[in-house]
Amino acid sequence: MSLPEGVQRREFDGEEVLATRGEPVYGEPVVEGWRRWDASRSKLGATFAHGLDTGLSGGDGVLYLGAANGTTVSHVADFEGPTYAVEFAPRPVRDLLGVAEDRGNLFPLLKDARKPETYAHVVESGLDAIVQDVATRGQADVALANRQFLADDGRFVGAIKARSEDVTREPEAVFEDVLDRLREGYEVLSTDRLEPHHDDHLAVVATPK
């Protein structure tokens, strides 16, 4: 599996791990300008670590849904092009604004990913990728609602969190239901469980139908 340009495997304390070049954000080690990308703190990092072919390449235009305080999206902005970071909670957005100060291509948006009509006037269409990490019920609905921003050959790279959908059901059953709904607007290319980095999470790579 080839990594996007701008993401490399580098050695930190004798361990070869993912890294991007940029200003540190969350206390991560930096060696020769390369920031360690901690897969246990990042679903996308874990997706790369598990070897999934995401279809991402350096310089892509990206819509990132569920940016939180910027841990993962800071790495994304290190190797991608314009990166629109949607987060609905005001407190983490304050941190996200600080992350964006060092990254001119990162655009924080205090918006609800379930309501793309509230930021459609800001986010360009024909983007290369959507990266999704939202902890809410209806994760497939979020992906379908934001599909409008993707190019026809774009990539959706998401992490489905089973416990956000339904804490009472087995994760595998939840994943199947979410994937069935996702297939209404996407062709699912690959999936993989993200243990041991993230319990009860499924990485998904898809492209618009």
Side-chain angles (χ1 to χ4, degrees), residues 3-4 44 48 53-58 60 79-80 128-129 131 155 157:
L3 293 169
L44 181 61
F48 284 135
D53 183 2
T54 63
L56 300 181
S57 57
D60 287 341
F79 69 91
E80 294 291 31
D128 301 293
V131 178
R155 285 292 187 273
V157 184

Side-chain angles (χ1 to χ4, degrees), residues 100-151:
E101 287 179 2
D102 296 318
R103 293 168 173 83
N105 62 324
L106 178 57
F107 307 106
L109 298 170
L110 178 60
K111 299 291 183 181
D112 187 338
R114 296 170 295 186
K115 301 175 181 178
E117 67 275 8
T118 64
Y119 48 85
H121 62 293
V122 177
V123 177
E124 61 189 287
S125 59
L127 291 173
D128 301 293
I130 291 175
V131 178
Q132 180 172 310
D133 180 14
V134 295
T136 183
R137 189 184 295 271
Q139 292 165 78
D141 293 335
V142 173
L144 291 167
N146 285 275
R147 177 179 171 277
Q148 61 185 290
F149 299 110
L150 264 184

Side-chain angles (χ1 to χ4, degrees), residues 170-191:
E170 286 298 314
E172 280 300 329
V174 174
F175 295 147
E176 281 306 313
D177 284 352
V178 175
L179 290 173
D180 284 346
R181 173 76 173 122
L182 192 65
R183 289 188 180 100
E184 294 180 20
Y186 290 90
E187 178 187 353
V188 175
L189 303 177
S190 58
T191 64

